[in-house]
Amino acid sequence: MAAPEERELSQEQTEKLLQFQDLTGIESMDQCRQTLQQHNWNIEAAVQDRLNEQEGVPSVFSTAPNRPLQVNTADHRVYSYVVSRPQPRGLLGWGYYFIMLPFRITYYTLLDIFRFALRFIRPDPRSRVTDPVGDIVSFIQLFEEKYGRIHPVFYQGTYSQALNDSKQELRFLLVYLHGEDHQDSDEFCRNTLCTPDVTHFINSRMLFWACSTNKPEGFRVSQALRENTYPFLAMIMLKDRKMTVVGRLEGLMQPQDLINQLTFIIDANQTYLVSERLEREERNQTQVLRQQQDEAYLASLRADQEKERKKKEKQEQKRKEEEEAQHKQMLEERKKRNLQEEKERKSECLPAEPSADHPDSVKIIFKMPNDTRVERRFLFTESLSVIHDFLFSLKETPEKFQIVANFPRRVLPCLPSEEMPVPPTMLEAGLSRSQLLFVQDLTDD
């Protein structure tokens, strides 16, 4: 169901709302309606403001600080064109002029005195700019109500934003200050500014900003440009890298006269814009080149850093491998040393070998893993662990081994185990007086 605010919109406004949403891609209908209302339902101005926002240019409805207007007005090369009011004609005209002259002088003198005295009592409210965009929108609404919609496209933003856009886009900016109390303002707007020829000329050649001097924003610009009379037009452009007034047109002008004067100002200053475009393009190319060089330098630096990192990793890996090899070698040497010490200890603890004529003597021949033979005599009463200790004490015996007897084939239990905590004697193991035993290497296992 449509919201109450949407039902109150006219068919034309609804069509503009839908068209604006299609052009901008804004999903929120409330945001679209609010934006169009701020721009007085001028869809072109609303879309342009939206595009400016997307390009990083502040919205014309954003609050801007009241900073001094940065426009050069002291250039002695400024073209100035002033149209004087027509002189009285004939005896009747001059007579009326001289009759009204004292009243006119008295009126303007008293008006100036009154305004001067009023400044001490109450400061001019126009000196405080609180809503510059509101001043512009209000002036445009009043202008269209009085003179219609056929007019140059007004820049719907503050004067500072118009200057910024003119600078960024390298376009001429035409400023019109509307003096509502001046006797020539109404005729200029109706018969000159709003004519199709002037409208087309201004729209195709420049940005157009206008405001009434009765508004705080217009009054602030009036103080900056220091106009002498109305209607007043100022042409501003980027010249020598700063915004500069290059033309001043004052007084009531006819349409063709206005077009001729604006054309003269444009032709006289077009070379500055062309030069600025070339310089800007050169700066952009230089910036792009510098950026490419920086990127290439960073890429080279990263490659060098990566190469150095890999080199350090390789050195660190090599160092660790060397340390591990040294540690492993040290463990092996310690293991060998411990093994040798254990062999010596076992050898010292062995009982003496009995004589061949001893009644309990057992002659055992050991076949070693390297196919060598070792012979020794033991006693039947001695434990099988003595055989194991004897073999362990030999240099050619592996670290781990087992003793196997044939006929029947069996592994002799020479070491204590859970099943047999105390190894049997040689007699209990069933050994004969002359026995052949095999020593099997278990080191790999």
Side-chain angles (χ1 to χ4, degrees):
M1 182 176 179
E5 292 82 352
E6 293 182 12
R7 290 201 300 266
E8 295 176 0
L9 299 177
S10 65
Q11 183 177 357
E12 180 184 0
Q13 290 174 335
T14 303
E15 291 176 356
K16 288 184 177 181
L17 187 64
L18 296 175
Q19 185 179 2
F20 178 75
Q21 187 181 39
D22 291 339
L23 292 173
T24 60
I26 300 176
E27 296 181 0
S28 173
M29 193 65 74
D30 291 337
Q31 185 179 353
C32 294
R33 183 175 59 253
Q34 182 180 4
T35 304
L36 284 171
Q37 287 174 345
Q38 289 176 335
H39 291 83
N40 195 28
W41 292 95
N42 187 327
I43 190 170
E44 291 144 351
V47 171
Q48 181 62 45
D49 188 34
R50 178 66 179 176
L51 293 176
N52 287 346
E53 254 185 273
Q54 293 176 346
E55 293 173 1
V57 180
S59 171
V60 297
F61 289 94
S62 62
T63 304
N66 292 332
R67 294 177 297 178
L69 302 176
Q70 302 297 322
V71 178
N72 180 21
T73 59
D75 195 333
H76 299 292
R77 294 167 291 180
V78 175
Y79 175 77
S80 181
Y81 179 78
V82 181
V83 179
S84 303
R85 290 190 56 78
Q87 297 294 329
R89 295 183 179 181
L91 184 59
L92 183 61
W94 282 104
Y96 178 77
Y97 174 77
F98 283 114
I99 291 173
M100 296 300 297
L101 182 61
F103 296 99
R104 190 179 296 108
I105 294 174
T106 303
Y107 171 76
Y108 285 112
T109 302
L110 292 176
L111 183 62
D112 291 341
I113 294 174
F114 174 75
R115 289 176 177 174
F116 181 76
L118 191 61
R119 292 179 184 175
F120 292 96
I121 301 174
R122 181 174 64 88
D124 194 333
R126 298 179 299 174
S127 60
R128 296 183 60 187
V129 182
T130 57
D131 185 15
V133 176
D135 294 340
I136 303 301
V137 174
S138 175
F139 166 73
I140 294 174
Q141 291 176 346
L142 295 175
F143 188 94
E144 291 183 343
E145 290 175 2
K146 190 172 183 179
Y147 302 110
R149 293 181 175 273
I150 300 177
H151 56 73
V153 177
F154 291 108
Y155 183 94
Q156 297 200 17
T158 66
Y159 176 63
S160 297
Q161 290 170 335
L163 289 174
N164 182 69
D165 275 2
S166 173
K167 180 179 180 180
Q168 296 299 324
E169 299 175 15
L170 292 179
R171 297 179 63 186
F172 289 98
L173 173 65
L174 183 62
V175 175
Y176 169 61
L177 293 179
H178 183 72
E180 295 183 5
D181 300 330
H182 197 275
Q183 55 189 344
D184 293 333
S185 296
D186 186 73
E187 182 180 352
F188 174 77
C189 291
R190 291 185 186 278
N191 301 328
T192 301
L193 188 60
C194 295
T195 59
D197 290 343
V198 172
T199 298
H200 175 72
F201 180 84
I202 293 177
N203 289 342
S204 61
R205 301 290 188 90
M206 62 200 73
L207 297 175
F208 182 67
W209 184 91
C211 191
S212 170
T213 54
N214 287 349
K215 303 289 184 181
E217 176 71 355
F219 179 70
R220 183 166 71 112
V221 178
S222 172
Q223 289 183 316
L225 298 181
R226 298 189 297 274
E227 76 280 10
N228 298 311
T229 185
Y230 300 97
F232 174 80
L233 294 161
M235 184 73 86
I236 303 175
M237 61 171 287
L238 183 63
K239 183 179 180 181
D240 299 330
R241 297 191 179 181
K242 55 188 175 182
M243 297 304 289
T244 305
V245 176
V246 294
R248 298 167 61 93
L249 307 178
E250 300 178 87
L252 182 61
M253 286 172 284
Q254 298 304 312
Q256 191 57 46
D257 189 20
L258 175 59
I259 292 175
N260 292 339
Q261 296 303 321
L262 292 176
T263 301
F264 178 81
I265 296 174
I266 291 174
D267 292 343
N269 294 276
Q270 188 69 39
T271 55
Y272 293 102
L273 285 184
V274 173
S275 175
E276 184 61 35
R277 289 191 185 99
L278 293 176
E279 289 182 9
R280 181 173 294 183
E281 183 178 356
E282 184 178 351
R283 288 196 299 269
N284 291 339
Q285 291 178 352
T286 302
Q287 184 177 2
V288 170
L289 179 61
R290 186 180 297 111
Q291 183 177 358
Q292 292 175 347
Q293 292 174 343
D294 292 343
E295 291 176 355
Y297 170 75
L298 290 176
S300 176
L301 180 61
R302 285 192 292 267
D304 293 341
Q305 291 174 344
E306 182 67 14
K307 187 184 298 182
E308 184 67 21
R309 184 186 66 81
K310 290 182 178 180
K311 181 180 178 181
K312 288 183 178 179
E313 286 183 354
K314 190 175 181 180
Q315 292 176 347
E316 182 67 16
Q317 183 67 21
K318 184 178 179 180
R319 184 187 64 81
K320 288 182 178 180
E321 291 176 354
E322 291 176 352
E323 289 181 353
E324 290 177 358
Q326 291 176 357
H327 182 67
K328 186 176 181 180
Q329 183 179 1
M330 182 181 67
L331 292 178
E332 290 290 336
E333 291 177 354
R334 182 184 298 174
K335 184 178 180 181
K336 289 179 180 180
R337 186 168 58 252
N338 293 337
L339 181 62
Q340 184 63 31
E341 292 176 355
E342 181 68 12
K343 286 178 178 289
E344 292 175 357
R345 187 180 66 80
K346 292 287 187 182
S347 178
E348 293 174 356
C349 295
L350 286 174
E353 183 178 5
S355 61
D357 57 354
H358 195 286
D360 292 331
S361 173
V362 178
K363 179 182 177 182
I364 300 178
I365 299 173
F366 299 98
K367 188 174 182 180
M368 307 300 290
N370 58 359
D371 292 334
T372 60
R373 292 174 179 267
V374 177
E375 181 180 333
R376 191 184 190 279
R377 290 185 299 275
F378 299 91
L379 296 177
F380 274 119
T381 56
E382 292 176 338
S383 172
L384 289 178
S385 60
V386 176
I387 298 177
H388 185 276
D389 292 345
F390 166 72
L391 292 173
F392 181 80
S393 65
L394 299 178
K395 293 183 179 180
E396 58 269 27
T397 307
E399 182 180 355
K400 295 181 180 180
F401 61 92
Q402 65 182 8
I403 304 171
V404 179
N406 282 339
F407 311 113
R409 180 177 175 81
R410 66 190 187 280
V411 177
L412 298 181
C414 298
L415 296 176
S417 63
E418 293 182 359
E419 298 176 355
M420 192 175 293
V422 178
T425 64
M426 299 180 198
L427 182 62
E428 293 172 343
L431 298 183
S432 60
R433 286 190 174 275
S434 180
Q435 184 74 43
L436 175 64
L437 298 178
F438 298 88
V439 180
Q440 290 184 347
D441 189 355
L442 300 179
T443 305
D444 293 340
D445 297 339

